[in-house]
Amino acid sequence: MMKLLIAKPSPFARKVRVALHEKGIEFEQVLDNPWNPGARAGQINPLGKLPVLDTGDGRQIYDSRVIIEYLETLGRAPALLGQDADARVMHRQIEALADGVCDAVVLIVLERARRVVLRSTDWLERQQHKVTAGIAEAARLLDGREWYVGEAFGLADLSVGCMLGYVDLRVPEIEWRRAYPDLDALTRRLESRPSFRRSRPESQSITEVG
Ligand SMILES: N[C@@H](CCC(=O)N[C@@H](CS)C(=O)NCC(=O)O)C(=O)O
C-alpha cells in the first residue's frame, strides 16, 4: 500500500490527500512534523519537506506537484489535469498560483513565530501582499464559473480549495469571502466533497508551523 508522509495543517500534503481520495486509492497516512529535529521528512527528502509519497514499489516521490503527476500516470479516474495541452497549462498555472500563496503563508507563520524584536514588518507585509494578490487573481481567473477549467473538477480547483482552507487556518484575519463570493461558493462546493471533508487541515500543536 502507498504511504504518504503528511502534517495535518499542510496544504501541500492536503493536495495529495484529496487527489488520492478522489481517485479512490487507498493509502496510509504517516504523521510527521518537518520542523522538529529528527523529522522523517529530512531523512527521505533532502529538502526536508513534506509531502513524500512512498509508492510501495521502492520509490519515494516528493513535492506535491510531482506526486500528482505520478498519480495521473496510474490512469485512475477522475483525471485531474484534462487532456489537451492548454487545459493542462491552465491547471498547472493555477496550481502554481495557489502553491505560491501557501508558501507565503508558511513564511508569515514562521516570521510570527520569531521573537518580536527579530520580526520584520517589511517581510511580513511582502508576504501578506502575495497572499491577498494571489487570492484576488484566483477570483479573477474563476470569473464566476463553476470550475476553473472546462466543466469538471480538476487540479486547479483542488489547489485553490487547499490554499483557501490553509489561509483560513493560518491567517484568518484575511477576509476574502465577502470580497469574492464566487470563491466562497467554490470552497463550499469543494469542502462538501468527501475528499475535502476527510482531509480538513488541523493545527498539530502550537509550536508546529507546517
Ligand atoms: N513545493 C512543495 C512545498 C512543500 C512544503 O513547503 N511543505 C512544508 C509543510 S507545509 C514543509 O515541509 N516545510 C518544512 C521546511 O521547509 O523545512 C510541495 O508542493 O510539496
Side-chain angles (χ1 to χ4, degrees):
M1 196 194 295
M2 292 188 197
K3 284 189 193 157
L4 184 67
L5 193 66
I6 68 155
K8 282 196 247 170
S10 171
F12 306 104
R14 191 184 191 196
K15 284 169 61 196
V16 177
R17 293 158 80 193
V18 169
L20 285 161
H21 288 317
E22 288 285 339
K23 289 175 181 291
I25 299 172
E26 278 189 39
F27 65 104
E28 186 189 326
Q29 292 190 151
V30 181
L31 219 54
D32 195 26
N33 180 342
W35 307 103
N36 281 351
R40 291 181 75 159
Q43 292 159 17
I44 49 183
N45 173 356
L47 304 175
K49 296 186 181 191
L50 51 78
V52 181
L53 181 75
D54 178 332
T55 57
D57 61 7
R59 277 180 291 174
Q60 307 275 354
I61 304 179
Y62 53 83
D63 199 295
S64 61
R65 300 174 217 196
V66 183
I67 298 171
I68 287 175
E69 192 73 40
Y70 165 74
L71 295 179
E72 286 293 278
T73 67
L74 303 178
R76 302 276 300 237
L80 297 171
L81 277 162
Q83 293 311 316
D84 73 275
D86 284 351
R88 293 179 79 91
V89 171
M90 189 49 83
H91 276 297
R92 289 296 193 193
Q93 179 65 83
I94 295 167
E95 177 187 40
L97 175 73
D99 283 7
V101 170
C102 293
D103 286 333
V105 173
V106 170
L107 293 176
I108 291 170
V109 173
L110 290 172
E111 195 64 20
R112 284 180 176 169
R114 287 155 73 87
R115 279 183 289 135
V116 178
V117 285
L118 297 175
R119 234 176 260 167
S120 162
T121 312
D122 285 352
W123 180 252
L124 276 169
E125 280 172 5
R126 192 179 170 85
Q127 303 311 323
Q128 276 152 355
H129 175 73
K130 292 182 204 297
V131 177
T132 51
I135 295 173
E137 179 65 356
R140 190 187 71 80
L141 291 169
L142 186 59
D143 196 22
R145 281 170 294 128
E146 187 176 5
W147 305 116
Y148 274 103
V149 186
E151 305 299 315
F153 166 84
L155 180 65
D157 312 288
L158 180 159
S159 303
V160 170
C162 292
M163 177 270 277
L164 291 170
Y166 190 56
V167 166
D168 281 348
L169 181 77
R170 292 303 198 201
V171 280
E173 71 276 14
I174 296 184
E175 284 188 28
W176 52 271
R177 290 177 194 276
R178 231 173 315 133
Y180 306 115
D182 293 342
L183 280 186
D184 185 24
L186 174 72
T187 54
R188 284 171 203 278
R189 277 196 294 283
L190 292 171
E191 292 292 346
S192 67
R193 294 173 86 85
S195 58
F196 271 75
R197 270 195 265 126
R198 292 172 72 184
S199 61
R200 292 240 158 91
E202 291 168 39
S203 297
Q204 279 184 205
S205 93
I206 209 78
T207 52
E208 300 177 11
V209 273

